């Protein structure tokens, strides 16, 4: 038996006992060390996540780290005892998108740990072993719990196709933006600016490799690459307008409400190449894990709050409280 945090329906959360059960073909059982909480988990609790991207009742937790304790038939027995993180998308591995490496675009339909499948807000997590990414033995599992959002930002960085020395702006100084900043700095960005309306994010941004910090109304444009990681109204339009003609813009955020939408004329006139990101492919995961393992990515300073499983609802309230500066919130068994 083990404990899990179950959201039965929007607003209804309970810590329950769950049977671990047996393992199917190719599955692994992971003892969860740490699990992250992000805005999409808050949406699940509040009932604002689009219906096609959640299935109640659900055990949340798509950001996590842990240690493999058991594997089923067909899974690599060498995984037992290894520290790991794992991909969330339950891709089919057979469709054209999967075979081309775009596993987050699997044509089999949306199916993701923590949203449609039981997640890591629990003592144990069961998932296909092929989705696991082993970590070095000395890896900090607390920091590794942020490798899922880091993989999403790795996807954006890879699409940006950064050349060494190019100028870059990252719009959004939250967890996602700062993870992207670290990856862009490691990739050789020249002038690297983080853009955010909150002045208290300037110091963390520079600690993550930014060479400058500006408020949105101070942004003068002309960047080779602009990566949008804010997901607020108008940030997509700001990203395009801040990119030089012929430059590259990568959009990752989804605004709850959009009052300043992008118009086709914004794109045509700017002659920019726009990329979008939905989740992280296997190659993006490999990029993030490699950066973490070699010390080029350090998510630990972004963690500000830690709660035990029994206090999951309190943790969600901490994330929702906009009156107090909050970085990454973690749960642990």
């Amino acid at each position: 038996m083990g404990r899990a945090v179950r959201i039965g329906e929007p607003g209804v959360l309970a810590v329950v006992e769950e049977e671990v059960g047996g393992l199917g073909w190719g599955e692994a059982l992971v003892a969860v060390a740490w699990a992250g909480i992000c805005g999409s988990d808050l949406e699940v609790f509040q009932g604002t996540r689009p219906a096609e991207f959640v299935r109640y009742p659900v055990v949340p937790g798509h950001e996590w780290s842990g240690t493999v304790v058991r594997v089923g038939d067909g899974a690599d027995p060498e995984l037992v005892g290894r520290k790991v993180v794992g991909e969330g998308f339950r891709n089919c591995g057979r469709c054209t998108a999967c075979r081309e490496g775009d596993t987050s675009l699997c044509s089999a339909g949306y199916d993701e740990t923590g949203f449609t499948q039981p997640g890591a807000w629990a003592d144990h997590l069961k998932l296909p072993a092929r989705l696991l990414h082993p970590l070095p033995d000395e890896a900090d599992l607390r920091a590794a719990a942020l490798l899922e959002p880091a993989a999403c930002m790795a996807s954006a960085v890879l699409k940006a196709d950064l050349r060494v020395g190019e100028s870059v702006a990252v719009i959004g100084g939250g967890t996602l933006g700062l993870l992207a900043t670290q990856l862009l700095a490691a990739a050789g960005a020249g002038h690297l600016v983080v853009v955010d309306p909150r002045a208290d994010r300037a110091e963390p941004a520079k600690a993550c490799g930014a060479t400058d910090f500006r408020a949105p109304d101070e942004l003068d444009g002309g960047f080779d690459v602009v990566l949008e990681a804010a997901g607020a109204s108008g940030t997509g339009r700001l990203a395009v307008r801040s990119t030089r003609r012929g430059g590259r813009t990568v959009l990752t955020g989804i605004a709850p409400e959009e009052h300043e939408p992008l118009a086709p004329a914004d794109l045509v006139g700017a002659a920019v190449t726009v990329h979008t990101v939905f989740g992280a492919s296997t190659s993006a995961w490999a990029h993030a894990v490699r950066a973490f393992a070699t010390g080029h990515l350090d998510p630990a300073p972004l963690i500000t709050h830690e709660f035990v499983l029994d206090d999951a609802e309190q943790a969600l309230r901490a994330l929702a409280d906009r009156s107090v500066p909050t970085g990454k919130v973690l749960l642990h068994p």
Side-chain angles (χ1 to χ4, degrees), residues 19 28 36 53 77 96 102 108 147 167 188 207 219 225 269 278 299:
E19 190 75 45
F53 295 121
T96 299
D102 292 325
L147 282 175
S167 61
L219 199 60
V225 172
F278 180 75

Side-chain angles (χ1 to χ4, degrees), residues 61-64 84-91 101-104 111-114 125-133 147-148 151 280-286 289:
H62 59 288
E63 305 175 2
W64 59 270
V84 294
V85 290
E87 300 176 36
F89 288 117
R90 305 295 183 96
N91 58 79
D102 292 325
T103 49
S104 58
D111 194 18
E112 185 176 6
T113 298
L125 173 66
K126 191 186 303 182
L127 77 167
R130 63 184 175 83
L131 300 180
L132 297 177
H133 288 259
L147 282 175
E148 191 277 341
S281 65
T282 298
S283 59
W285 269 93
V289 169

Side-chain angles (χ1 to χ4, degrees), residues 237-272:
R237 193 176 187 185
L238 176 64
V240 169
R241 289 184 170 183
S242 302
T243 307
R244 67 164 174 82
R245 285 179 61 82
R248 287 101 64 205
T249 306
V250 186
L251 306 178
T252 73
I254 300 175
E257 294 182 325
E258 185 58 78
H259 305 294
E260 302 174 62
L262 269 169
D266 295 324
L267 303 177
V268 175
V272 299

Side-chain angles (χ1 to χ4, degrees), residues 148-283:
E148 191 277 341
C152 294
M153 291 301 98
S155 182
V157 170
L158 291 171
K159 290 195 175 193
D161 191 24
L162 183 70
R163 283 80 156 174
V164 173
E166 285 190 312
S167 61
V168 185
V170 176
I171 297 178
T175 298
L176 291 173
L178 295 184
L179 289 169
T181 300
Q182 289 193 30
L183 291 168
L184 288 161
H191 189 40
L192 178 53
V193 180
V194 171
V195 182
D196 197 281
R198 288 176 46 176
D200 61 300
R201 288 178 165 174
E203 187 174 340
K206 291 180 178 179
C208 287
T211 58
D212 197 3
F213 180 90
R214 298 180 194 173
D217 59 3
E218 298 173 335
L219 199 60
D220 52 12
F223 292 90
D224 296 308
V225 172
V226 179
L227 191 156
E228 184 277 326
S233 178
T235 54
R237 193 176 187 185
L238 176 64
V240 169
R241 289 184 170 183
S242 302
T243 307
R244 67 164 174 82
R245 285 179 61 82
R248 287 101 64 205
T249 306
V250 186
L251 306 178
T252 73
I254 300 175
E257 294 182 325
E258 185 58 78
H259 305 294
E260 302 174 62
L262 269 169
D266 295 324
L267 303 177
V268 175
V272 299
T273 299
V274 177
H275 298 279
T276 59
V277 169
F278 180 75
S281 65
T282 298
S283 59

